[in-house]
């Protein structure tokens, strides 16, 4: 019981919009799985965030379930973690409104992701794109999360969440835990195979730049064989200054569990081809069982439906507790009896 009381809460979310990559696995999902042992964890499929850009509804619905299945296939255990789809818990939208009334246009205007996205979707600069970080703050604050594992691109949104939490706590008295971004040390940065100075991204127009979690073994080998290294040609004792080679060493190390130094010691003097083959073996050994389990889960619709219903209920209980407090503090009648 004491133990339980001391456990910190982690929360993170992934949008269901496209194929997740090996970078998402090594930088996020793998850590989510490890963290569910030590933390009270909430993992969410962020479908409400997804509609800030135009989505085809049938596709979004399918992707949300597939993303949930992928979380499960990676080892998120719905008995240990709360795994749910954001739109199933209406409190996210409800808290977003209250927080919106405490967020300044100026601070939202400074969000670099809003600037990037509005440049990329110039024909659809909707208000949701602008208030997206407030929805994200609601996701986090509803569950009183302490630690938010996110990539560097989301750090600014967690900072905003902290500011909103502190501002609300000052105005209305202690209500929210003030969260911290949690950027894991290992594997957080897997780079593009074609441009190892930029992050591996699921939206890379060149599919050779990334390995999708659902790529088959042939595709994985082919993409790794084409990975950009450099003209030195072989692995040396310290390749930290060689982005292409170092990226492969990092991937190989993260997938095989041996430290980078060990992988480079073993391959020292051998050509980049050997490194690529070794990396492909390690990646396939990690992804194949996940893919098998993913396929099995997609065939078990009943289990998926039960899991997401149970997740929505569990998440809903925590979310309702927080929202009730918030509603009371701002002067609304309490939500439900
Ligand atoms: N905005 C995040 C992304 O696009 C996803 C997300 C939504 C999230 N809600 C969250 C991440 C809450 C961490 C916490 O990657």
């Amino acid at each position: 019981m004491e133990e339980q009381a001391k456990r910190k809460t982690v929360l993170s979310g992934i949008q269901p919009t496209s194929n997740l990559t090996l970078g998402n696995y090594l930088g996020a999902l793998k850590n989510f799985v490890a963290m569910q042992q030590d933390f009270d964890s909430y993992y969410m499929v962020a479908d409400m965030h997804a509609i800030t850009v135009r989505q085809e509804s049938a596709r979004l619905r399918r992707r949300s379930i597939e993303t949930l299945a992928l979380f499960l296939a990676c080892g998120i255990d719905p008995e240990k973690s709360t795994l749910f789809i954001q739109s199933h818990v209406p409190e996210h939208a409800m808290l977003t409104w209250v927080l919106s009334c405490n967020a300044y246009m100026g601070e939202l205007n400074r969000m670099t992701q809003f600037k990037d996205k509005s440049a990329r979707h110039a024909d659809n600069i909707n208000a949701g794109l602008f208030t997206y970080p407030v929805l994200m703050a609601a996701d986090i604050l509803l569950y009183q999360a302490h630690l938010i594992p996110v990539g560097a691109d989301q750090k600014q949104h967690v900072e905003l969440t902290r500011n909103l939490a502190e501002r609300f706590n000052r105005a209305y008295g202690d209500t929210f835990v003030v969260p911290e971004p949690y950027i894991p040390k290992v594997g957080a940065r897997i780079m593009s195979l074609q441009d190892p100075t930029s992050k591996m991204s699921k939206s890379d127009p060149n599919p050779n730049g990334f390995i999708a979690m659902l790529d088959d073994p042939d595709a994985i080998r082919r993409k790794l064989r084409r990975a950009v290294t450099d003209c030195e040609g072989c692995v040396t004792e310290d390749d930290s200054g060689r982005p292409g080679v170092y990226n492969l060493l990092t991937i190989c190390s993260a997938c095989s569990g041996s430290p980078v130094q060990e992988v480079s010691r073993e391959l020292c003097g051998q050509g980049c081809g050997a490194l690529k083959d070794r990396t492909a073996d390690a990646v396939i050994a990690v992804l194949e069982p996940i893919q098998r389990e993913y396929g099995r889960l997609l065939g078990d619709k009943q289990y998926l439906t039960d899991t997401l219903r149970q997740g929505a209920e569990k998440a809903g209980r925590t979310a309702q507790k927080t929202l009730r407090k918030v509603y009371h503090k701002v002067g609304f009648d309490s939500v439900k009896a």
Side-chain angles (χ1 to χ4, degrees), residues 11-17 24 32 42 44-50 86 92 113 117 132-133 135-141 145 147-151 153-154 157-158 161 199 202:
L11 177 141
S12 198
I14 291 188
Q15 288 197 45
T17 36
N24 295 116
F32 295 177
Y42 290 84
M44 180 182 77
V45 177
D47 59 345
M48 291 169 72
H49 279 89
Q86 186 182 27
H92 289 253
Q113 195 179 60
K117 283 204 179 170
Y132 167 118
L135 175 60
M136 182 159 155
D139 299 339
I140 295 169
L141 299 180
L147 298 175
I148 315 301
V150 283
D153 61 321
Q154 296 294 323
H157 295 159
V158 181
T161 305
K199 200 173 129 178
K202 53 191 175 185

Side-chain angles (χ1 to χ4, degrees), residues 94-132:
M94 297 160 88
L95 182 59
T96 299
W97 176 250
V98 176
L99 294 177
S100 295
C101 296
N102 289 276
Y104 300 123
M105 300 285 285
E107 62 191 345
L108 296 180
N109 232 335
R110 281 197 297 276
M111 297 291 120
T112 55
Q113 195 179 60
F114 170 68
K115 291 185 211 168
D116 291 351
K117 283 204 179 170
S118 37
R120 266 189 284 137
H121 303 276
D123 58 334
N124 183 19
I125 306 178
N126 61 77
L129 199 59
F130 187 66
T131 56
Y132 167 118

Side-chain angles (χ1 to χ4, degrees), residues 8-12 35 39-43 145-149:
K8 289 199 167 174
T9 298
V10 307
L11 177 141
S12 198
M35 279 184 287
F39 298 99
D40 196 7
S41 19
Y42 290 84
Y43 300 122
H146 301 88
L147 298 175
I148 315 301

